[in-house]
Each structure stands twice: as structure tokens, then as C-alpha cells.
Amino acid sequence: MAAGRSDHSTSGGRVTLKEVARLAGVSRSTTSRVLNDHPSVRPEVRARVQEVMEDVGYVPDGIARSLRRGHTGMLGLLIPQPASTVFGDAYFATLVSAVVDAAQRAGCTVATVLTDDPLAGRPDTTERLAAKLSADGLLDGVVATASVDDDPVPGALLDAGLPVVVIGEPSDASTTSVDVDNLAGGRLAVEHLVELGRARVAVLAGPEGNPSARRRLEGARRAVEAAAVTLVGVEAADHFGVEDGRRAMDRMLAAGTRPDALVAGSDAIAVGAMAALDAHGLRVPDDVAVAGFDDLAPARVSTPPLTTVAQPVASVGRLAVHRLLDLVGTEATGPARDARGSADGRVVPVTGSGVDGHEGRRTVLDVALVVRGSTVPD
Amino acid sequence: MAAGRSDHSTSGGRVTLKEVARLAGVSRSTTSRVLNDHPSVRPEVRARVQEVMEDVGYVPDGIARSLRRGHTGMLGLLIPQPASTVFGDAYFATLVSAVVDAAQRAGCTVATVLTDDPLAGRPDTTERLAAKLSADGLLDGVVATASVDDDPVPGALLDAGLPVVVIGEPSDASTTSVDVDNLAGGRLAVEHLVELGRARVAVLAGPEGNPSARRRLEGARRAVEAAAVTLVGVEAADHFGVEDGRRAMDRMLAAGTRPDALVAGSDAIAVGAMAALDAHGLRVPDDVAVAGFDDLAPARVSTPPLTTVAQPVASVGRLAVHRLLDLVGTEATGPARDARGSADGRVVPVTGSGVDGHEGRRTVLDVALVVRGSTVPD
DNA sequence: GTGAAAGCGCTAACAT
DNA sequence: ATGTTAGCGCTTTCAC
């Protein structure tokens, strides 16, 4: 790498390919060929052109290239949650990580977009965001996390012609989506608790209006009915965090509910609940057996370690990106499409575990129960 | 919103302005004017064009617009840390939030880019990233957090002609940067402890190689010397997290060090240290007075609440964006920027701290000591 | 008020 | 192997 910029005052990447061509005494085409490692360029000429590029510090204009190619290589990751919620949440940490990683592998950059609370939010904000995302038109597609029922954003994005993959349950069933089997998850947790002989089940569900939370609750409800035990209480946490769990548990206890089994909407909620139980002198698992959902960091560091329904968060993220890339490849019917395609073989034909929905539009991954000390003493 | 797309098979946002013009029976110029709310268009014509746009679901191509305008309205936020570190860190939560917010206000989108650990990382990764970011050329500029000495990325970005603002200490002093007065912070903490009568000071510094951590330590060192008390120990935490603090404190105690005052490189480190102290039967603040750094969430929820050096994280983020927009506005000789001006009271431009007369290049914000129960009993 | 035309920086047929 | 030419989709003088 050249030690520093010499020659011209190259303020910014202002040198154009045309200029390089002129300086090297060749045509723009040839310069372009050199830039793209096209084989048919005489080594001698190639060298000269490259030297000029180095000399003037030429940097190709990405926007122009994108215009020609018809895509930018930039994907959006939409998380309709305020930063305060997203950070500190092991789920999002894992998800973002997986998405970014998968995209990177495919040569794409990810723009993570956090928006304000979708519930409290004026639809204004939300729609304006969608408009902006699409109007900017710099994203090849968007992975959107569904954190609230009937989120209008994915639809708006689709209307704008932007490929979208929803993580979770999309409002419109025809939207491509990747999800885990939340229903089964709620069921698994309850079945486990029932097998342990517990008969007074309570659920500390995730936030109201959150599709995943609702499904988990639903699954638990059905299992409770099927097992002919009693659902002694249901309380919705404000979010999926530890404090939300603690408060929800406090409310439940304050209401006089005394379960001997607890199903939580997330590991963090479970951890918070255990703290609240502890504060009330109730022992886990002796007095109350507790099951979480996620199997992320909080589950392992808690005391006692948490029995939980493990969901493959990283796989979900990775898969969502693959699905999105498929869509992008399909929709972009522009020219020069043939050259690329699935050249990198990273398009995993995910028939994976679980239900592979209609036309591969919806993919649902399996969850699995992990038993630890919060339900069964060591 | 039109129920569905009629007419053409408009698969995606594939309708162009040209097509709209044809359908509306006007020229592309007029159509463009309608799109950009240019005044000189007859209301009647405007209405007709807009109707066509609605009908065919026209969405302007952002890439093409960007090409013309010379900028994309997309800023990068570079955090050379793995997701596992970034999430769960109140500092980054606050910073990202502030940056995204400030950018949004200026009509920009932020692409948050996380990269792997800069220390363990092969320089390869890092450089490739920088290359990618710039080669893509879709970003108008980048806010880069400096988490390691001599980070090559900002330089690489600058070489590629991309405006960069570093948060923290840039390797090259001529790089525009925004920082807080870490040196003073370290000093303030020690001075406070000394005033309380403590004489055996220990420092639980942030990660080795981190410029901010080093400065804080340096400040503490100087204050210790000035006060003629004893620096009984220094231990560097692996990161800025709670567990890192706990482990560092454990190491220090295991080494037989018994301070009566502790200065930590972050609130989280302080919290972890307090846990370790507690586990060793040492009381805070009676046996050991503890001071943190940041004044973020961990400081307030800890027991006892943490005395700490407050740094204006949100302001740093906001300011970095403003600085960046200034740079972008300067470099991109396009249409003038509007929303500007740093309305922060605490801007302390350090003139001449860098090289040649380039003024206002580096901005250092003040920190302030916040006294709570970890040093002074209620 | 509206249109024709000239590009922004790059790439990809077609020639040669 | 290299040059010529024609755009990608949009904006913007400059005429009328």
C-alpha cells in the first residue's frame, strides 16, 4: 500500500474512472476492465492503469456501480424497538450477530435500523420510517422482526417493492417469514412441569401484542387443558427483560396467586421472576418450578440454572438472510443478473427441521426443552 | 392507498419516472418536478401526475437519486467490537441511540457496523472491512469508535476519501474527533477518594490497549502522585463489563492487594468489583470506597449506588454526527446542508492539541463527579 | 409552466 | 485486446 497520497489534492474520492482513463491513455472501457479484473487486458496496460489508480488514489464510486448493477449489497435489519430495549437483550444480541454474519458472508452490509416502541408509537413514525427506508431505495431488502401484531411496516415495504423477510409472524400470511415453533414451546414447558407432578401452573407471558409471546401462552394454555391441571394465573410482562419479569411476578404474588409451576415468556423474565419469588421467601424449584424460553445467556448464569425452551436464534437470523437473498435474487430482474446468482453456494435449501410451509414461504424451526435446576433439583 | 397495483405487472418498484411521464402525458422533467415538490407545476398537471404515481405504485429509485445528488444520506457507525460485547453494554446502548437519533433528525439513516474484536483480529479482517465500507461507497461518512490504539481503519477510510469522525482518540491526531476528558475523570475520582481520607488507592482499569481506559488510568496515576498517597495496585479488566470487573478484582485480591479506595474504568467494572469485594467479606464503602466511570444504568441500580465520573455519552454521539455532517457537507459540494449547529453547551474545542492549525478538529467534553453511596455512606 | 437535452460515474454489448 | 457507443433512473440548466 502506498505510503500516502501524492500528486493531486485528491480531496475525497473525487477522481473518476474517466480521469484515470485519460491519465493512463486508455479508454474508459479498458479502465473499467482493469477495475473488474476482466481477463482481456494486456498485462502491460493493466499495470499502467493500476499505477495511475494508486497514484491518484482512485476509489470507484459505489453509487454509480450500484446504479448499473441494480443493487447495492446493503440489507436492512429492522427492529421496531427502542435501543434501550434492544441492548441488554441477549436475544437481539444473538440475532443481530447472526444476521450480520450471514450477510457478511454473502458480501452484504447490514444497516440495523432501530425504531421507537411500536406500541406507543404514533403510526406516523412507523409509516414515515417505512417510507424513508424504501424511498431511500438503497436497501436491496429488509429483514424485519415482528414484535407487534399487525405491524404495518413490512406491508408498506412490500408495497414499495422491497423484498422483505419477517422474523416471527407476519401480519400478512403471504409474506415470507422465518419463525420458531412457539406454540410447541409453550406446550413443552407445561408438559415438563406436569410430568414433575405440578398442578397449579401460572404463565408470565411476554408483552401483550407480541405474536411470539401470544403463541407461547397459547401453547401453554392448550397443554394445561390437555393435562387437566389448573392455570392459576397469567400475567403479561411489559417487555422481555429481567425487570419486567420481576415486576410481573410481584404483581402476580400481590394478587394472591400461588402457583407451583411457572412458565415464563423468556429467560430474562424467568430470572426476574425467580428474584421476585426469592424475595417472597419462595424457593425454586421446591416451592415453584420455573421454566424459561430462549436458552440464552441468562438461563445459564442464573441460580439455579434455568430449565428452558431452547430456540435456535442464530439459525433464525441466518435463515432469514438466506431467504432474503433468494428474494432479492428473484425480484431484481435487472440486467447483469446472470453473472451472479448463487455463485457462492451459500443458499442453503432449508428443508430444515420443523414445518416447511407453503411454497417455502414460511419456515418454522423446532424448539427443544432443556432441563436444568429451576425445575429439577441437581 | 390504492388497494392493489393495477395496470402493468409492476413486479417490485420497477416503474420508472419515464414510464410515469409517458402515462401522464408529460415530460420527465415535469414528472421530476412533481416528485420534488417544485413550485412551477400547474396544479392540474401535478394532480394528474401524482395520480398516475399512486396508480402504478411508483417508487423513485434511490440509487439513481443518490447518483445525481452525490450523496446517499447514509452514515456508518463503526464499532470494532463483537456483538456479544456491544450488547449488554449500557455505553453502546446510549451511544448508538444518540447517533441514530441525531442522524435521523438530519434525515440520515445509520448503518451500524459491528466488526470482530480488534485486538484478537487479524489485521486482514479489519482492512478488508474498511475496504468494503469505502468500496461500497454508499456511505456519506463514518463515525468510528476508537476502542484500540492505532486502529488502522479510520485512516484507511480517510484514504478512501470517506469523511470520518472518531469517537475517542484517533491514531492520527489530525483526524476529526469527539471525546471526553478521560484524564480529568481519572483525576477527579482519585481526588474525591483522597479527600475522604483514603490513602491506599487501586485502579481496576479498562482493557489494555483501549485509549480511554489508558487515559483514565493515567489521570488517576497523576492524581495519586500529586496527593502523595499510595497506588497499591493496578489491574486491567478484559473488557468494560461486570464480569470483567469481578474477575479483575478477584485477581487483585488473590494477589494480596488490599486497597481502601478503588477507581474503576467503568460503572460495570465497578459493579463487578463490588460483587467480588462482597464475596470476600469486604464492605463498600466502609472497607473500600469505590468509584466508577460513565454514570449509566449500572451505577444507579447497584447496591450501594455508585459514585462515578459522569460522561456525556449521548452528547458525544450527537456531536459526532454533527461533526460528520459538517465534513460531509464540506466534501460533498452538493446542495447545502440545513440542520446544523452544535447546540451543546459543553463543547470544549481543544485547539492545537493535534497537528497544524486545523482548528476545531478535536472536541473534548467535560466529565463530572457524581457522589453516591459507594464512597460516602448515606 | 413545460420540454429537450445533457449528464452524474460506471458497465457492457457491439464493433474493430 | 481495445475503443465506441449506449445507456442505468434521475435531476437540472436552458430554451421556449
Side-chain angles (χ1 to χ4, degrees):
Chain A
M1 191 169 288
R5 286 139 286 159
S6 44
D7 283 85
H8 317 270
S9 61
T10 61
S11 56
R14 300 238 37 78
V15 188
T16 73
L17 182 145
K18 185 176 169 185
E19 180 71 357
V20 171
R22 196 181 61 72
L23 291 172
V26 296
S27 76
R28 302 210 299 264
S29 329
T30 301
T31 313
S32 173
R33 289 189 186 103
V34 171
L35 195 60
N36 296 283
D37 292 319
H38 193 99
S40 53
V41 176
R42 231 172 39 218
E44 178 190 317
V45 177
R46 176 183 302 276
R48 180 152 39 94
V49 173
Q50 282 174 332
E51 193 184 343
V52 173
M53 287 180 171
E54 280 278 319
D55 277 6
V56 301
Y58 169 69
V59 175
D61 183 318
I63 307 178
R65 293 183 116 178
S66 295
L67 179 58
R68 280 278 353 195
R69 296 178 183 174
H71 64 257
T72 60
M74 210 169 238
L75 307 180
L77 173 57
L78 186 61
I79 305 181
Q81 307 270 339
S84 55
T85 305
V86 174
F87 284 82
D89 189 326
Y91 174 81
F92 284 116
T94 311
L95 187 67
V96 171
S97 204
V99 167
V100 169
D101 199 66
Q104 214 143 276
R105 261 175 233 290
C108 293
T109 309
V110 175
T112 307
V113 181
L114 273 46
T115 80
D116 283 353
D117 195 319
L119 297 169
R122 303 72 69 184
D124 175 49
T125 309
T126 290
E127 301 227 324
R128 196 147 41 92
L129 166 82
K132 174 148 187 35
L133 273 187
S134 57
D136 276 8
L138 296 170
L139 269 28
D140 290 340
V142 172
V143 172
T145 58
S147 56
V148 49
D149 291 323
D150 299 322
D151 189 342
V153 175
L157 259 27
L158 282 169
D159 276 357
L162 207 57
V164 173
V165 171
V166 167
I167 289 183
E169 276 184 45
S171 4
D172 182 340
S174 71
T175 308
T176 301
S177 61
V178 178
D179 203 351
V180 298
D181 196 342
N182 290 301
L183 204 63
R187 180 172 51 76
L188 285 176
V190 170
E191 285 175 357
H192 169 65
L193 294 165
V194 169
E195 273 170 23
L196 293 173
R198 309 286 169 152
R200 299 192 317 280
V201 179
V203 177
L204 241 45
E208 218 143 352
N210 179 294
S212 302
R214 188 158 31 72
R215 286 289 183 206
R216 290 169 199 173
L217 172 56
E218 170 83 11
R221 275 217 156 91
R222 291 194 195 172
V224 163
E225 283 173 26
V229 290
T230 314
L231 185 62
V232 298
V234 172
E235 192 78 36
D238 291 329
H239 287 290
F240 285 105
V242 174
E243 284 312 307
D244 307 305
R246 185 201 306 271
R247 280 193 292 269
M249 190 72 238
D250 277 338
R251 286 199 297 274
M252 184 174 277
L253 291 171
T257 308
R258 287 292 179 280
D260 62 3
L262 190 66
V263 174
S266 76
D267 289 345
I269 289 176
V271 168
M274 292 201 292
L277 288 170
D278 186 63
H280 284 254
L282 294 165
R283 292 158 305 158
V284 175
D286 303 340
D287 300 320
V288 186
V290 177
F293 200 108
D294 282 346
D295 195 28
L296 294 171
R300 292 163 204 174
V301 304
S302 68
T303 343
L306 199 63
T307 286
T308 190
V309 176
Q311 64 162 323
V313 185
S315 295
V316 167
R318 195 173 344 110
L319 226 52
V321 171
H322 292 162
R323 284 280 183 277
L324 184 58
L325 290 174
D326 288 349
L327 284 182
V328 171
T330 303
E331 305 240 336
T333 322
R337 276 241 116 288
D338 42 356
R340 38 184 283 90
S342 45
D344 352 14
R346 32 83 181 147
V347 180
V348 184
V350 188
T351 42
S353 51
V355 186
D356 203 284
H358 307 308
E359 310 164 21
R361 279 220 174 284
R362 177 165 174 78
T363 306
V364 178
L365 301 186
D366 280 339
V367 296
L369 186 76
V370 178
V371 179
R372 298 206 182 87
S374 68
T375 55
V376 179
D378 299 320
Chain B
M1 190 169 290
R5 282 141 279 158
S6 43
D7 280 83
H8 316 270
S9 60
T10 61
S11 55
R14 298 238 41 76
V15 187
T16 72
L17 181 144
K18 186 175 168 186
E19 180 71 357
V20 171
R22 195 180 61 72
L23 291 172
V26 296
S27 76
R28 300 206 297 257
S29 327
T30 301
T31 312
S32 175
R33 288 191 186 102
V34 171
L35 196 59
N36 296 283
D37 293 318
H38 193 98
S40 55
V41 175
R42 235 175 33 221
E44 175 190 317
V45 176
R46 176 184 303 276
R48 180 152 40 96
V49 173
Q50 283 174 331
E51 193 186 342
V52 173
M53 287 181 172
E54 280 278 319
D55 276 6
V56 301
Y58 170 68
V59 176
D61 183 318
I63 308 177
R65 295 185 114 175
S66 296
L67 178 58
R68 280 283 342 203
R69 298 178 181 170
H71 63 259
T72 60
M74 208 168 240
L75 307 180
L77 173 56
L78 188 60
I79 304 182
Q81 305 271 339
S84 55
T85 306
V86 173
F87 285 83
D89 189 326
Y91 174 82
F92 284 115
T94 311
L95 187 68
V96 171
S97 205
V99 167
V100 168
D101 200 65
Q104 215 142 276
R105 262 175 232 288
C108 293
T109 310
V110 175
T112 308
V113 182
L114 272 47
T115 80
D116 283 351
D117 194 320
L119 297 168
R122 304 73 70 183
D124 175 50
T125 309
T126 291
E127 302 226 324
R128 195 145 43 92
L129 167 81
K132 172 142 190 38
L133 271 188
S134 57
D136 277 6
L138 295 170
L139 270 29
D140 289 340
V142 171
V143 171
T145 57
S147 56
V148 49
D149 291 323
D150 299 322
D151 189 341
V153 174
L157 258 28
L158 281 169
D159 277 356
L162 206 58
V164 173
V165 170
V166 168
I167 289 182
E169 277 184 44
S171 6
D172 182 340
S174 71
T175 307
T176 300
S177 61
V178 178
D179 203 352
V180 298
D181 196 343
N182 290 302
L183 205 64
R187 179 171 52 72
L188 285 176
V190 170
E191 285 175 356
H192 168 64
L193 294 165
V194 169
E195 275 171 20
L196 293 172
R198 309 288 170 149
R200 301 193 313 282
V201 178
V203 178
L204 241 44
E208 218 142 354
N210 179 294
S212 302
R214 187 155 33 70
R215 286 289 182 206
R216 290 168 198 174
L217 172 56
E218 170 83 11
R221 275 218 156 91
R222 291 192 195 170
V224 163
E225 281 173 28
V229 291
T230 315
L231 185 63
V232 297
V234 172
E235 192 76 38
D238 292 328
H239 287 289
F240 285 105
V242 173
E243 284 311 307
D244 308 306
R246 184 201 305 270
R247 280 193 291 268
M249 190 71 238
D250 277 338
R251 287 198 297 274
M252 184 174 277
L253 291 171
T257 307
R258 288 293 179 279
D260 63 3
L262 190 64
V263 174
S266 75
D267 288 344
I269 290 176
V271 168
M274 290 200 293
L277 289 170
D278 185 63
H280 284 253
L282 294 166
R283 291 159 306 157
V284 175
D286 302 342
D287 300 322
V288 186
V290 178
F293 200 109
D294 282 345
D295 194 28
L296 293 170
R300 292 161 205 178
V301 304
S302 68
T303 341
L306 199 64
T307 287
T308 189
V309 177
Q311 64 162 323
V313 184
S315 293
V316 167
R318 193 170 349 108
L319 225 53
V321 170
H322 291 163
R323 286 279 182 279
L324 184 58
L325 289 175
D326 286 350
L327 285 181
V328 171
T330 303
E331 308 238 338
T333 321
R337 291 222 130 287
D338 39 330
R340 192 92 64 77
S342 29
D344 297 74
R346 325 136 103 169
V347 182
V348 182
V350 173
T351 54
S353 96
V355 279
D356 51 38
H358 279 323
E359 34 157 347
R361 281 227 171 279
R362 179 167 172 76
T363 306
V364 178
L365 302 187
D366 281 338
V367 296
L369 186 76
V370 177
V371 179
R372 298 205 182 89
S374 68
T375 56
V376 178
D378 297 321

